[in-house]
Amino acid sequence: MSDPTRPLSSDPSLDAHGAHHPAAMSEGERRALEMVEAAETGGRKLSGWQQHLVTLIAVGWCLFQMYSAWNGTLVPTTLRAVHLAFAFALAFLVFPFRKTPGAPQTRVPWADWLLGAAATGSALYFVVEYATIAGNGGIRADVPLDLLAGSALVVLLLVTAWRTLGLAMPLISLAFILFAFMGAKGLIKGIQTPFHGGYTWPQLMGQLATNTEGIFGTALGVSAQIVFLFVLFGAVFDKMGAGDWFMRVAQGLLGSFRGGAAKASILSSALNGIISGSAVSNVVTGGNITIGTMIRTGYSREKAGAIEVASSSNGQLMPPVMGAAAFIMAQNLNIEYRSLILAAAIPAFLCYAALLVVSHIEALKLNLRGVPRNELPRVRQTLLEGWYYILPLGYLIGVLTANPEANPERIALYTILIMVVMMLVQEVFWSRKDGRTPLRGLMDGGRKLIEAFEAGARSMIGIAIATAAAGIIVGIVTITGLGFGLADVVEGVARLFTNEFIRIVVVLLMGQLIALILGMGLPTTANYILMSALIVPIIARIAGLDTSNPAQMLPVHMFVFYFGIMADSTPPVALAAFAAAAISGGDPVKTGVQAFQYELRTALLAYMMFFNPQLLLIANNRLGGLPLGEAIPMVIFAFIGLVAFSAATLRFLHRRTNLVQTLLLLVASFVLIIPTHILYNLGAMALIAIVYVWQRAGTQGPRTPLSAAA
C-alpha cells in the first residue's frame, strides 16, 4: 500500500493522498477546475440539504445502474427511461442556466425545481405507460396525456441539452424537427421537401418518444447499459489514487529525458486515458502538474498547454474505456466490445508514439533538457507503492480481451465491487500510519466511495443527455429518408471526378470537414452519433463497402470517430484548450491552434486506418483476421510515416527544414498511408533518409533556434 507520508509529487496543491487543496491551487488551476465543473459535472456550489439531495440522487443512480447490471432482466425501455429520469433530475439541480465565471450559484432557483420535476416526470411517464402506448400504435392525438408527456419530453430534453451541452446540440435538433414538419402532410405545409411528405405533431412525437429509433433508442440504451458502469469504474479508480500514481510513474520513467516534462505528460495522459474518456477533465487532472513543469523546463505557455490538450484528447482513443462513442460504435457494428478494443489498440499506440516524437522534435527545436533526476519520483519505489492499482485494471482488461463470452457491463460491475473493497482496505491500512483509528479509516473510505459515486454520476449527466438528444436526430433521419438524399447529393459531387480513388478521398475530406465543424459545438459522443447516421453510410456507398460486414465498416466508423476527437482541440471552440490556457496562463486561441497542429498526425492516422485496415487487425474480410505478428511491419511503416508527417508539419527534423525537405517528408508520409507495395514503402523511407542525411551534412545552419517562437 502507498505510504501516505510521502508526497505524490512536487505539486503543492496535492496532499499525501493525492487530494487537491483548493487553497493551495493557483488562480489558473482554480479557473480550469471551475471550467470543467461548469462544462461536465455542473457548476453550482450547493450546500446543506440541497447538496445532500444531489448526493442522494447521484448515489441512487449508481446503485440502480449496478443493480440493473447484476439483475440483467430489466426491460430495455424501462432501463433507458429511468436512466434519463436520473439525468434530468441531476441536470436541473447542478447545471445552472446561466454560468457566471467566478461566481457559482449556491442554491437551486424555484424555476429549476419545476422544470426538473416536469422533465423527470415526463421520462418516468414512459416507464409506466410505454407498453400501453406501444399497444395503441404510438402516441395518438385523441389521447391528450400521451401527447402532452411526449411533447414535454422532447421540449425539456432540448432545454436540458442547452444547459449541459451548449446551444449547438438543441439548435441542430430543432432544425431537424422543423425539417420533419415540412411537407404537404406535415405541420408546416408551405414548404415542400424532395425527401418526404411531412409529419404532424403527434406523428413526430410518437416517433421520437416511443420508437426505438428515437430518444429511447440504441444510443441511450448503450449509455444506460454499458457506458455508465465504465464511467463509474473510472471515477472509483481515480478516487483510489490511481490517476496520481500513473502521473508519478510517468514522471519517473520519462522525466529525465530531453523534453521529459512533456513526455511524462503524454505517457500519464495515455495511462489516464485507459480509465477516463473525457478530454477536458484529463487536461485539468494531469495539467495542474505537467503544464507548470513543462513551462519551467523551457516550453512556452502555449506549447505546454497544447501538448497537454493533444495528449488528453487522445485519451479517448485508449482501450478499454474509449468514451461513450466507442460503446455505441460496437453496438452500431453489432460486434463485441472486446473486438473493438483489440482493433483500436494499435492505432492508439501509434497515436501516442507519434505524439512522443512531436514532443521530442519540439524539445530539439528549443534545445531543452530533462528534469533533474533528483526532482523526480523514484521509479522502483513508486511502483512498489501503488502496484496493487494494476489488479482491478488487469482484471478488467484481461477478462474483456481473453474471454469472447464476457459480458462487458457485468465485468465492469465486478471490477467496481473489487475496487470498493480495495478502497476500504487501503484507507484502513493508511490509518495505521497517519494516526487515525481503523474505524476512522473505514469511515473515510466510505466517504471517498460516496464522493466517487457522485463524481461518476455527475460525469454521466452530459453523456445521457447527449445520447438522448442525438436520438431525436437519428429518429428524424430514419423516417424522412434524409440520409439517402444527402448521399445522392454527395455522390453527385464525387462523380465530378473520374478517378475512383480521388472520389473516395474527396468524400473523406468532406466527412472530415463536417466532423470538425460539428465537433466545435458538440461533444464527441453526439458528434459520432450524428456522423454515423449521416456521413458513414455515404462514405460506405461511395467506397462500395458492404454495410453488413463489420470488417469493412469499422475503418469508416473509426475515421469519423478520430475526427470527432480532433474537434476537442479545434479552434475557435476548443474547451480543452481554454482549460489548459487557464492553467498555463497562455493565450487560449494560440494554445488551440498549436494543439491542432500537434493533432494533425491523428488526421493522418485516420486516413491510414481507412486505407490500411490491417492496422485494425483486419484481414481476409473479418475482424481479428490478421495475427499480431503479421501486423508488425505495417505498424513500423505507419509509425515512420507519422514521424515524417510530424516533422513536416513542425518544419523540423534534425534541423529546421527548408521547403524542399518539407515536401519530401510530406510525400514520404502520404506514400506510407497506403501499403501498395514494399518497394513504394522502401522508396518513402529513402526520401526520409535523404532529408536526414541532408540535414546532418549541416547545410541548414544552426541546429536549434534560440527562442520558443522558432
Side-chain angles (χ1 to χ4, degrees), residues 371-576:
V371 180
R373 171 56 66 181
N374 60 0
E375 297 181 13
L376 296 171
R378 287 178 291 179
V379 176
R380 176 182 172 85
Q381 183 175 350
T382 303
L383 289 173
L384 289 175
E385 289 171 355
W387 63 268
Y388 58 93
Y389 291 133
I390 300 298
L391 296 179
L393 187 60
Y395 171 78
L396 178 69
I397 297 176
V399 176
L400 277 179
T401 55
N403 184 6
E405 305 299 325
N407 183 310
E409 57 266 29
R410 188 64 65 88
I411 299 305
L413 173 63
Y414 292 159
T415 309
I416 292 169
L417 295 176
I418 290 171
M419 291 190 298
V420 167
V421 175
M422 290 180 62
M423 181 177 286
L424 296 176
V425 173
Q426 175 181 260
E427 288 298 320
V428 171
F429 179 84
W430 279 349
S431 68
R432 298 169 57 188
K433 292 194 172 185
D434 58 13
R436 292 176 294 161
T437 65
L439 179 59
R440 181 65 184 178
L442 196 63
M443 293 174 62
D444 288 343
R447 176 182 53 80
K448 284 190 174 183
L449 278 175
I450 292 175
E451 292 174 355
F453 277 29
E454 181 177 347
R458 291 173 70 132
S459 296
M460 274 300 303
I461 298 171
I463 296 174
I465 299 301
T467 52
I472 295 176
I473 299 171
V474 172
I476 293 175
V477 169
T478 301
I479 63 173
T480 60
L482 178 61
F484 296 106
L486 286 177
D488 290 336
V489 173
V490 174
E491 189 171 9
V493 174
R495 292 197 182 282
L496 296 175
F497 304 90
T498 56
N499 184 276
E500 181 180 355
F501 175 76
I502 294 178
R503 281 205 301 267
I504 294 174
V505 170
V506 168
V507 174
L508 291 176
L509 288 171
M510 293 172 66
Q512 165 190 335
L513 182 61
I514 293 171
L516 290 175
I517 292 174
L518 288 177
M520 292 181 188
L522 297 180
T524 303
T525 302
N527 189 354
Y528 166 73
I529 294 172
L530 189 54
M531 292 294 293
S532 64
L534 292 175
I535 305 302
V536 166
I538 296 175
I539 297 175
R541 180 171 168 178
I542 301 297
L545 303 178
D546 179 4
T547 56
S548 64
N549 188 339
Q552 293 189 25
M553 294 303 298
L554 177 58
V556 188
H557 283 266
M558 291 293 285
F559 180 86
V560 299
F561 178 54
Y562 266 51
F563 277 104
I565 288 173
M566 277 190 66
D568 283 336
S569 54
T570 302
V573 182
L575 187 57

Side-chain angles (χ1 to χ4, degrees), residues 21-33:
H21 288 305
M25 287 185 184
S26 68
E27 183 60 30
E29 291 169 354
R30 194 177 293 107
R31 288 200 312 271
L33 187 60

Side-chain angles (χ1 to χ4, degrees), residues 247 250 260-270 290-291 294 307-308 311:
M247 174 69 68
K263 292 172 182 173
S265 170
I266 293 166
L267 179 58
S268 64
S269 292
T290 60
I291 290 176
M294 282 188 273
I307 288 174
E308 183 61 46
S311 58

Side-chain angles (χ1 to χ4, degrees), residues 94-336:
V94 301
F95 280 91
F97 188 73
R98 292 183 179 179
K99 304 175 179 64
T100 306
Q105 296 182 14
T106 56
R107 64 182 183 85
V108 181
W110 65 266
D112 283 357
W113 287 108
L114 295 179
L115 289 173
T120 305
S122 68
L124 293 177
Y125 180 86
F126 289 95
V127 175
V128 179
E129 297 294 334
Y130 187 88
T132 303
I133 295 173
N136 292 335
I139 291 178
R140 300 193 327 222
D142 59 347
V143 186
L145 191 56
D146 290 352
L147 182 58
L148 177 62
S151 303
L153 179 68
V154 173
V155 172
L156 290 172
L157 176 58
L158 295 178
V159 172
T160 312
W162 187 353
R163 301 167 75 103
T164 58
L165 306 174
L167 194 55
M169 188 72 185
L171 285 181
I172 294 173
S173 301
L174 187 59
F176 275 83
I177 290 173
L178 293 176
F179 173 76
F181 283 144
M182 296 175 185
K185 300 178 182 179
L187 188 65
I188 306 176
K189 294 181 172 56
I191 304 177
Q192 306 299 315
T193 76
F195 306 118
H196 66 98
Y199 293 86
T200 64
W201 184 267
Q203 286 175 329
L204 189 59
M205 292 306 101
Q207 168 68 22
L208 298 182
T210 62
N211 197 296
T212 53
E213 290 180 333
I215 292 172
F216 298 120
T218 299
L220 184 61
V222 174
S223 174
Q225 187 175 356
I226 302 176
V227 176
F228 190 102
L229 291 171
F230 277 84
V231 170
L232 182 59
F233 155 76
V236 177
F237 198 51
D238 184 64
K239 198 65 179 180
M240 285 176 63
D244 293 304
W245 180 71
F246 282 152
M247 174 69 68
R248 291 172 53 203
V249 170
Q251 288 177 321
L253 288 174
L254 298 181
S256 61
F257 290 93
R258 181 187 291 271
K263 292 172 182 173
S265 170
I266 293 166
L267 179 58
S268 64
S269 292
L271 293 173
N272 274 317
I274 294 175
I275 60 174
S276 172
S278 170
V280 182
S281 62
N282 285 350
V283 166
V284 176
T285 301
N288 59 11
I289 299 175
T290 60
I291 290 176
T293 306
M294 282 188 273
I295 294 173
R296 287 194 296 273
T297 55
Y299 288 94
S300 69
R301 296 181 183 276
E302 286 75 21
K303 287 183 186 293
I307 288 174
E308 183 61 46
V309 169
S311 58
S312 294
S313 298
N314 291 160
Q316 297 174 84
L317 308 177
M318 288 294 292
V321 182
M322 298 168 60
F327 295 97
I328 298 171
M329 187 190 304
Q331 192 79 14
N332 288 342
L333 292 168
N334 195 26
I335 61 175
E336 301 167 344

Side-chain angles (χ1 to χ4, degrees), residues 604 641 644-649 659-673 687-688 691:
L604 184 71
F645 185 75
S646 299
T649 54
L659 180 60
V660 175
Q661 293 168 349
T662 300
L663 291 176
L664 289 176
L665 291 172
L666 284 175
V667 169
S669 62
F670 292 151
V671 169
L672 289 170
I673 290 178
L687 290 179
I688 299 171
V691 173

